[in-house]
């Protein structure tokens, strides 16, 4: 099971943290390289989870920033060119993002490297902040989401020591990280709605109770995780016949969900379902070859769960095309149950 790589912020919302503890091996986020800044940016709760081996801070060093042109490194071809093109389009567009005090977002400059930083300033899309070792800059929110979303996908594809899957609650960051105008062909994908399958504790639930539930019902939790991941992997491999994949998974998914629902009811916690969609990249040969079915065809795959599956074409950065096909979007504005 991969580790959830949350972006664009250092600290995820509590409901995403709880979801990671229940349905993933753990959670990670990109943190400042400076130790002093790290101590201020990371909450005590995340530090406690780090000590338990459940939170993995990813500090950007030369091995990461070289992807986008960090100190002493030239940018790595396509990724850098794609980002520069996107930034220039933002700067030249009719809806050009404006720097303002009320809407400003902050970006640790170690996350983007000097060359991108210089281009952002040259285009008028960011300003360096003086003081504190000149470690940050202010940018419009759209620029922050674009850069951090792209970086998260590059990190997930580049890192081999741990399997990371990008996960965000910011729609713009999700869409731009997938739809960047890559220089090569696009990659076809399915989008699957998983919200009703993976409930989360209601807002305000203490993390200690979530950890207790994780440990007590580890068997039921792992069974649901395994069934869900198997379905997504099979959808990627057998992209031509998604209905067959879900039909094969019907019994296992339904039983796993039924067992998990039983233990959630027996717990002391209240539960809600949030909209969670995962974009599943499929084989490159599938681009332009998929036949879009009627969206009603998959209703009721696992009891009352309706998998909303649709086709789309995505253009992830070059490193993400094959190695890491999954990308998650968490819709915090909708409550499904």
């Amino acid at each position: 099971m991969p580790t959830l790589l949350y972006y664009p912020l250092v600290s995820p919302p509590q409901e995403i943290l709880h979801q990671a503890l229940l349905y993933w091996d753990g959670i990670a986020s990109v943190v400042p390289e400076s130790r002093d800044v790290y101590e201020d940016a990371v909450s005590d709760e995340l530090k406690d989870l780090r000590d338990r081996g459940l939170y993995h801070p990813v500090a950007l060093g030369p091995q990461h920033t070289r992807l986008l042109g960090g100190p002493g490194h030239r940018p790595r071809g396509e990724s850098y060119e794609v980002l520069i093109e996107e930034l220039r389009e933002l700067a030249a567009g009719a809806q050009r993002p404006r720097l303002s005090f009320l809407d400003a977002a902050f970006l640790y400059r170690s996350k983007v490297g000097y060359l991108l930083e210089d281009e952002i300033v040259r285009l008028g899309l960011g300003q360096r902040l003086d003081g504190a070792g000149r470690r940050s800059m202010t940018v419009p929110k759209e620029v922050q989401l674009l850069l951090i979303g792209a970086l998260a996908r590059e990190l997930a594809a580049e890192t081999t020591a741990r399997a990371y899957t990008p996960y965000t609650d910011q729609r713009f960051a999700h869409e731009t990280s997938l739809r960047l105008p890559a220089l090569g062909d696009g990659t076809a994908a399915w989008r699957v709605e998983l919200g009703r399958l993976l409930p989360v504790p209601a807002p305000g639930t203490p993390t200690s109770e979530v950890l207790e539930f994780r440990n007590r019902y580890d068997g039921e939790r792992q069974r649901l995780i395994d069934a869900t991941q198997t379905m997504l992997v099979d959808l990627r491999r057998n992209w031509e016949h998604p209905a067959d994949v879900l039909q094969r998974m019907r019994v296992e998914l339904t039983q796993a969900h039924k067992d998990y629902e039983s233990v959630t009811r027996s717990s002391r916690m209240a539960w809600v379902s949030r909209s969670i969609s995962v974009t599943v990249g499929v084989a490159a040969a599938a681009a332009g070859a998929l036949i879009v079915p009627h969206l009603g065809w998959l209703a009721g795959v696992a009891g009352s769960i309706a998998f909303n599956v649709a086709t789309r074409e995505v253009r992830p950065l070059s490193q993400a095309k094959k190695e890491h096909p999954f990308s998650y979007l968490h819709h915090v504005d909708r409550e499904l149950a």
Side-chain angles (χ1 to χ4, degrees), residues 250-270:
R250 180 189 296 270
V251 174
E252 185 174 353
L253 275 169
T254 302
Q255 190 58 54
H257 181 260
K258 181 179 179 181
D259 292 345
Y260 191 77
E261 192 176 47
S262 176
V263 298
T264 59
R265 286 198 300 265
S266 68
S267 72
R268 297 178 298 171
M269 297 186 295

Side-chain angles (χ1 to χ4, degrees), residues 211-242:
L211 290 171
E212 181 183 350
F213 180 92
R214 172 190 169 105
N215 294 328
R216 178 174 296 179
Y217 300 111
D218 188 62
E220 292 84 355
R221 187 179 67 87
Q222 287 289 346
R223 184 177 180 187
L224 181 59
I225 291 171
D226 291 345
T228 304
Q229 285 295 303
T230 298
M231 177 193 68
L232 295 177
V233 171
D234 285 353
L235 278 174
R236 172 170 166 76
R237 292 174 177 170
N238 302 302
W239 56 269
E240 296 170 292
H241 306 288

